[in-house]
Structures are given as structure tokens and as C-alpha cells.
Amino acid sequence: MQYTEVEKKFALPDPAALKAKLDELGAKPSEPTRQVDAYYNAPHRDFLAPTVISDWLRLRTEDRGSSINFKRWHPVEALVKTHADEYESKVDDIEAVRKLLEALDFKPMVTVDKTREEWKLPEVEVVFDHVVDAGDFVEFEFKGDAENVEDATARLDSFIASLGITLGEPVNRGYPHMLLGREH
């Protein structure tokens, strides 16, 4: 399932119990890293125009390097998305890419400033995010081999249920949605 992302996100008022459970399972945290994500709108198609936003173009800057990423969430018209097409690549010169986008009339929309801590297990990556002006969240992303999106989703749901940890409310929108004041 290369280029397909299956993840679930939850509000997380208190991450301690979840971190303890992940530690029991043998996962180890990465060093927290600050990620600054600049989101751009396209000149040929207004990503914000639809009632439900499904497309994002992002430049990420962090200590370990920079990247460019495009996601299209599916089902496109649905309020609750199940997966995304995701295309990401490292960028050697982030300022050159920023200038390239601006020269092509891509407009900055919103910047998400967050601190991320990653915990890796064989089939699931768990990330804890503190997002400036939005709060604390946990994302579970399926990283194993799956036959299709439905299989990956079922296995991810099973993993989350097996933790036996009370999580906050499910979150069915991205951080840019939150900062832009968009529900969908």
C-alpha cells in the first residue's frame, strides 16, 4: 500500500497512561522534534473551496530535514475520511521550494507549529503531537503490510482497542482545519 496512509487521531488530554502501555509493549520514544508545517493553496484549484477539504500541500521544516508533501483524503466528499493518497519527498533547499511555489502563485494558507514524539511498533506508529493554539493529540498510523485500506483500518482499530486505554474524542480533521476554524 505504498503512497496510502491509514491513520486515526484522538484528542489526548493526558498521554501518561498511553505512553506507559506503549513502553510495556516495547516501543521507545524518539526525541521530541519541532515541526513547522506551512500549508499552501493552489492557483488552479482552491483547496478551501469545497465544503469538505480533501487536499493539502505542505512544506515541513524540522531539525532532521525538510520535506514537501501532498495528501488527498478519501472518500473525497465524505465528512469522515478513511485514508489518504500521500506523496512526500525530502527537500534539500526548502527556501528554493518555497520561492518556487510562490513564483507559481501558490499562496500560504496556514502554519502549523507542533512538537512531535514518535513511538514505533512493528505495524503501528504512534505519535504524540502538541500543536500550538490547538492542543494535544495522538495519531495511530498503520505501517504494516495490508491487502487494502479496509484490512489496514481493521488491524489499526484492533490495535487501538487492544491497548485498553481511554483516549479523548476521535478527531476527523487535520491540524490546518483546526487553525483555519474549519470543521471539514
Side-chain angles (χ1 to χ4, degrees), residues 7-51:
E7 74 176 22
K8 302 278 182 149
K9 184 185 316 178
F10 299 85
L12 192 63
D14 180 14
L18 179 55
K19 288 183 179 185
K21 182 64 175 181
L22 292 172
D23 190 52
E24 280 178 33
L25 294 173
K28 300 293 178 217
S30 66
E31 286 296 317
T33 183
R34 180 176 178 220
Q35 297 177 336
V36 179
D37 296 340
Y39 287 83
Y40 287 81
N41 205 350
H44 65 286
R45 185 173 77 235
D46 184 358
F47 295 159
L48 299 177
T51 303

Side-chain angles (χ1 to χ4, degrees), residues 45-59:
R45 185 173 77 235
D46 184 358
F47 295 159
L48 299 177
T51 303
V52 180
I53 299 171
S54 294
D55 297 314
W56 291 120
L57 176 63
R58 177 195 80 209
L59 291 183

Side-chain angles (χ1 to χ4, degrees), residues 81-172:
K81 309 297 187 181
T82 60
H83 65 286
D85 298 329
E86 181 176 34
Y87 311 106
E88 184 166 9
S89 185
K90 293 178 182 179
V91 171
D92 289 330
D93 187 341
I94 195 74
E95 286 308 313
V97 174
R98 198 176 324 270
K99 289 182 182 304
L100 178 149
L101 290 174
E102 290 172 9
L104 293 172
D105 292 328
F106 282 75
K107 302 293 184 212
M109 286 190 296
V110 66
T111 299
V112 176
D113 188 345
K114 69 179 178 279
T115 302
R116 172 167 280 185
E117 181 181 277
E118 301 170 350
W119 296 63
K120 294 185 188 317
L121 291 163
E123 288 196 334
V124 177
E125 181 178 83
V126 182
V127 299
F128 295 86
D129 287 334
H130 172 75
V131 181
V132 174
D133 297 327
D136 294 298
F137 303 89
V138 61
E139 292 182 359
F140 298 90
E141 184 175 345
F142 186 77
K143 294 288 194 176
D145 292 325
E147 292 181 29
N148 51 40
V149 169
E150 293 77 15
D151 178 38
T153 301
R155 290 166 61 187
L156 188 60
D157 287 340
S158 177
F159 170 78
I160 294 167
S162 76
L163 295 172
I165 301 295
T166 302
L167 301 170
E169 290 295 314
V171 176
N172 293 310

